[in-house]
Amino acid sequence: MTESTSIIELSFWQILAAYVFIVLLLAIVRWRKIPREKEILISSLRMTFQLLLMGYVLMFLFENPSPWLTSLIVLFMLGFAIWNIFQRVRGPLTREMKRAIAVSMSIGTVLSLLYFNFVVIQFAPWFNPRYFIPIAGMIIGNSMTGITLGVQTLTEHLHSQRSRVEAALMLGATPNQATRKVVNQSFDAAILPTINSMVGAGIVFLPGMMTGQIISGVNPVTAIGYQIAILLGITGAVALTVILFTQLGYKTYFNERMQLKE
């Protein structure tokens, strides 16, 4: 292997040195008296454990490719993402709201993933874990972030604008018409981080997928092609999951008589 394409493998001590950034973050929040130390420590430990576990799982899957195992891993990732949304949203969620989150996440991510894999990338076999699982992770992860922002915005705005929505209902507006502005605000808040990622890609920052491919020795032009495709796929997946959620989510705030629930 030539020097230009050799991969620098990180030792245990090099990886450990990277945790200095977490120490820096802990020092800042402690200095500013922001009560986040416990959350930062738990997040760091969870991130480390989950990535190490996934690394060994992927090694096993690469050596033993199976459509059932690949599908099972993706379903587990999807279920964990849905559970994570429930945990990250401030305030209680009704059963109807949880169902709207689960349905929109499941339909939106699965449809986007299947289209991206079968139409855009077209790898074979279709369950190849080297492609299927990383792509699923990017689509599911970004959709999870989008729906989390959408749920939070929808909940907060319907609470703060309750009187305006009720006034519109009294004047004869349907729930869809009365909440149109709130739904649009929720969609906009959820999709904005994804749009910002596209705006800054290539100039402000190099996305993770592209960076990893370049470091591993892939031709930068090839890496750019993959990165453009995945950014477009992520944008479509987030848009689809969030619009499904907003159309299902606002309805959970109304009863059968089209009145706002308490």
Side-chain angles (χ1 to χ4, degrees):
M1 182 175 291
T2 63
E3 183 181 354
S4 60
T5 59
S6 61
I7 300 174
I8 301 175
E9 295 190 8
L10 298 180
S11 67
F12 171 78
W13 297 109
Q14 287 174 301
I15 296 174
L16 190 63
Y19 283 87
V20 168
F21 296 109
I22 296 298
V23 175
L24 174 63
L25 175 57
L26 288 170
I28 292 173
V29 297
R30 190 173 183 83
W31 169 51
R32 300 303 303 174
K33 294 182 172 58
I34 302 172
R36 290 285 185 184
E37 293 98 328
K38 183 178 179 181
E39 184 177 347
I40 292 169
L41 285 171
I42 293 175
S43 299
S44 302
L45 291 173
R46 278 185 57 178
M47 177 270 295
T48 304
F49 173 76
Q50 289 168 187
L51 286 177
L52 285 173
L53 178 62
M54 182 55 72
Y56 286 107
V57 169
L58 288 176
M59 285 178 59
F60 175 81
L61 288 176
F62 290 170
E63 296 172 359
N64 305 276
S66 165
W68 301 108
L69 287 176
T70 299
S71 301
L72 185 63
I73 291 295
V74 172
L75 288 175
F76 176 80
M77 293 164 64
L78 179 59
F80 185 78
I82 293 171
W83 177 83
N84 206 32
I85 295 172
F86 297 163
Q87 301 301 310
R88 290 172 64 183
V89 174
R90 295 189 298 272
L93 294 173
T94 63
R95 182 178 299 178
E96 292 83 2
M97 179 62 76
K98 289 182 177 180
R99 187 182 301 115
I101 292 171
V103 169
S104 55
M105 269 293 292
S106 300
I107 294 177
T109 55
V110 169
L111 287 180
S112 301
L113 180 61
L114 293 178
Y115 177 84
F116 190 85
N117 288 349
F118 285 95
V119 178
V120 180
I121 302 296
Q122 299 181 9
F123 55 84
W126 68 266
F127 56 86
N128 188 337
R130 190 175 296 275
Y131 289 92
F132 203 103
I133 293 177
I135 292 172
M138 286 184 281
I139 287 178
I140 293 173
N142 283 274
S143 297
M144 177 188 71
T145 301
I147 287 192
T148 302
L149 292 171
V151 174
Q152 200 65 60
T153 306
L154 182 68
T155 302
E156 292 175 354
H157 284 201
L158 275 177
H159 177 73
S160 62
Q161 300 182 36
R162 183 183 181 89
S163 58
R164 188 189 67 81
V165 173
E166 288 181 329
L169 292 171
M170 292 175 62
L171 292 174
T174 64
N176 183 27
Q177 295 169 330
T179 59
R180 183 181 298 276
K181 183 178 179 181
V182 174
V183 168
N184 289 344
Q185 290 171 335
S186 302
F187 181 84
D188 183 60
I191 202 70
L192 186 59
T194 305
I195 296 175
N196 287 339
S197 295
M198 287 197 296
V199 170
I203 301 298
V204 179
F205 69 97
L206 294 180
M209 180 182 179
M210 177 179 170
T211 302
Q213 287 183 311
I214 292 174
I215 291 175
S216 65
V218 173
N219 186 300
V221 176
T222 302
I224 288 171
Y226 271 95
Q227 190 60 65
I228 290 173
I230 195 61
L231 279 177
L232 294 174
I234 287 171
T235 303
V238 173
L240 181 57
T241 53
V242 172
I243 196 63
L244 283 172
F245 164 72
T246 53
Q247 295 306 305
L248 295 173
Y250 85 87
K251 296 177 182 178
T252 66
Y253 287 90
F254 294 87
N255 58 29
E256 62 277 1
R257 291 178 293 177
M258 295 191 296
Q259 299 171 322
L260 270 176
K261 297 177 182 177
E262 293 295 333

